[in-house]
Structures are given as C-alpha cells and as structure tokens.
Amino acid sequence: MTRGRRRKAEIHAHQATTGTPYLVARRQIAALAEVMQQHPRLNSFGIGVFNPLRKTAEQRRTELAVGREELAGGVVMVMETAAWLRENITPIKTPTVSSYTVKHVMQRATGRYVTNGVFIAAALVAGYTFKYEQPNVLFGMSARDLKRMN
C-alpha cells in the first residue's frame, strides 16, 4: 500500500470513529503529526522516556518509538483534550504550570483519563506557550481558570 493510500485509510478510520467530515479529520491528523515532528522526543509518557539513566540506548530508542506510536494513534483523545483546553483555560504568555498538574485538573473536571503525552500534545496543538521541563512541560495557562476548575 502506498503512503498516500495509508494516509487516506487513516483519515477515513478517524472520520468513521469521530463522525467528523473528511477535511476536518485530515486537519486533525496533520496537526498532531506536525506537533510530533516539531517535538521528536514527545511520546505518550511525555518528553523522553521514564528513568532513562537505567536503560541502554537501545532500550530508550525502543521505548520512545513505542510511545510515539501510541501517541500517534491517539488523535481522538488529543483533539478532544485540545478542544477542552480551548474552551476552559485561557492562554497566557509566561509558562508556569506543569502539564502533569493541569492533566489532573482536567481529569477531575471531566472524569476522563489522559496520558501526560496526550495532554502535552493537545496543549501544543491548542497553541499554548511552553517550556520543556522533562518529562513534563510548563505551559502558559491562566491560574485563575485552573483554580476555578478545581
């Protein structure tokens, strides 16, 4: 199967899962792919791998590849999380809030579990300012909105 056919099949599968129009599904998949390309260490765990000093280089590469594959397959969760963020959390310029903290605020508010990597990808897709602090990321999100959600 050619790359174009694989991509169309992926878009059709996402479209069938979400019920979104073809172009919207295509844009969503492209947005996540772009974020993953811009952040090559982003995966379902977060940034990098868990406990990297206790692993060989090969183990780190394998774990990163598996985590990136998991994240790439989670387009629906990433887009739902990005939509929730846009609706509920105002962006600010200075990154001060940890992705892990806001992920738990969102889980309490919605009752839905997301991985740290899915949350980070969603915030990046939504356009929040950021600063790496591995394995988490600091984001520019309104403290007032976060307190309101708790």
Side-chain angles (χ1 to χ4, degrees), residues 70-146:
E70 287 175 16
L71 181 59
V75 177
V76 174
M77 284 302 294
V78 170
M79 292 306 145
E80 288 174 358
T81 303
W84 183 87
L85 284 169
R86 286 183 188 115
E87 291 171 9
N88 295 288
I89 309 295
T90 306
I92 63 171
K93 289 182 183 180
T94 309
T96 57
V97 183
S98 170
S99 59
Y100 199 72
T101 301
V102 185
K103 160 187 129 72
H104 286 292
V105 169
M106 189 199 95
Q107 284 174 195
R108 282 191 294 277
T110 64
R112 298 181 69 194
Y113 174 80
V114 295
T115 65
N116 193 34
V118 165
F119 184 83
I120 292 169
L124 293 170
V125 165
Y128 289 91
T129 57
F130 67 94
K131 177 182 172 188
Y132 280 148
E133 192 159 292
Q134 297 178 357
N136 302 313
V137 175
L138 296 179
F139 286 108
M141 296 181 176
S142 167
R144 182 181 302 151
D145 289 347
L146 293 172

Side-chain angles (χ1 to χ4, degrees), residues 39-76:
H39 305 275
R41 300 196 64 219
L42 176 62
N43 65 83
S44 61
F45 170 70
I47 303 296
V49 295
F50 178 73
N51 211 355
L53 299 177
R54 293 185 176 225
K55 296 180 177 149
T56 66
E58 183 60 33
Q59 289 172 323
R60 289 191 303 266
R61 277 192 296 275
T62 302
E63 189 174 325
L64 185 62
V66 168
R68 285 182 65 80
E69 190 69 31
E70 287 175 16
L71 181 59
V75 177
V76 174

Side-chain angles (χ1 to χ4, degrees), residues 4-20:
R5 285 185 181 175
R6 265 192 302 255
R7 185 167 177 233
K8 276 187 177 182
E10 182 181 359
I11 293 168
H12 284 296
H14 179 64
Q15 183 183 15
T17 303
T18 61
T20 59

